[in-house]
Amino acid sequence: MNDEIDNSHVEFEDEPEESLDEMYLTFMLAEDEFGINISYVTEIIGILAITFVPDLPVFVKGIINLRGQIIPVIDVRLRFQKDPMDYNDRTCVIVLQIKDLSIGFIVDSVASCCAIPHESVIEPPVAQRNFHQKYVSGIGRMTDKIVQILNCEKLISEDTGIEFDVA
């Protein structure tokens, strides 16, 4: 008796591959979930010693030394004018590469890496725009949650004192 199964006659539907521009790393700030396109993300690290840099906005916490590379870090909670929170074991830094700049986003916690298809992303509602929504490029509608998708370039280029090459 032959235990091998002949599946040459079985047809498999091709699973659509999510393109990189539909993949997001999501993170939490309190009970709100935000997404960053995965193409920006280089790594996720725990909180390191942060060196204060004078004359920067309060949400730019300073710089870290990551394996010899000096990286400015922004506390996204403070950037969105949320109440400050003590860092804990869930707090992490999402290291991003945007154009020629490496930058760290301090977030409460990382939630997941997920695909959000283009057809599931809508414009942010105009009637409810507040300070942080100018940095939200879209709202990802998922089965069990809503993810606010961030425009990372705009988030770091406005009022931060941090500059990057736009060429």
Side-chain angles (χ1 to χ4, degrees):
M1 181 171 177
N2 189 351
D3 289 334
E4 290 183 30
I5 298 173
D6 177 17
N7 61 5
S8 60
H9 66 282
V10 178
E11 294 181 28
F12 294 98
E13 278 189 44
D14 288 331
E15 291 289 327
E17 282 189 32
E18 290 87 12
S19 63
L20 204 54
D21 64 336
E22 292 181 341
M23 294 298 296
Y24 295 89
L25 177 70
T26 66
F27 64 88
M28 304 301 295
L29 294 179
E31 59 280 339
D32 298 319
E33 190 164 359
F34 296 89
I36 299 172
N37 189 280
I38 199 75
S39 64
Y40 291 120
V41 178
T42 58
E43 63 185 300
I44 302 165
I45 60 173
I47 290 289
L48 300 176
I50 299 172
T51 302
F52 172 77
V53 177
D55 296 327
L56 291 176
V58 68
F59 56 84
V60 181
K61 298 305 284 185
I63 55 176
I64 59 173
N65 181 349
L66 181 62
R67 295 183 297 278
Q69 184 179 12
I70 302 302
I71 299 174
V73 289
I74 291 177
D75 188 317
V76 181
R77 173 180 275 278
L78 298 179
R79 178 72 164 134
F80 291 164
Q81 298 183 344
K82 290 183 172 280
D83 292 331
M85 185 180 91
D86 289 335
Y87 299 151
N88 60 40
D89 61 340
R90 306 247 333 134
T91 307
C92 57
V93 178
I94 302 171
V95 180
L96 308 172
Q97 183 71 37
I98 301 174
K99 301 196 186 286
D100 290 332
L101 175 71
S102 288
I103 189 161
F105 281 3
I106 301 170
V107 300
D108 292 357
S109 63
V110 169
S112 67
C113 183
C114 60
I116 305 175
H118 294 295
E119 58 272 11
S120 296
V121 178
I122 61 171
E123 292 290 318
V126 175
Q128 297 180 11
R129 286 196 188 273
N130 62 27
F131 178 78
H132 82 269
Q133 283 182 315
K134 69 180 177 179
Y135 305 116
V136 174
S137 62
I139 306 293
R141 298 173 296 174
M142 302 180 73
T143 306
D144 57 343
K145 62 186 173 182
I146 293 173
V147 175
Q148 298 180 65
I149 299 170
L150 297 180
N151 179 331
C152 293
E153 291 179 25
K154 195 170 192 178
L155 186 67
I156 66 166
S157 66
E158 291 188 7
D159 306 320
T160 63
I162 299 170
E163 296 180 12
F164 58 96
D165 186 12
V166 292

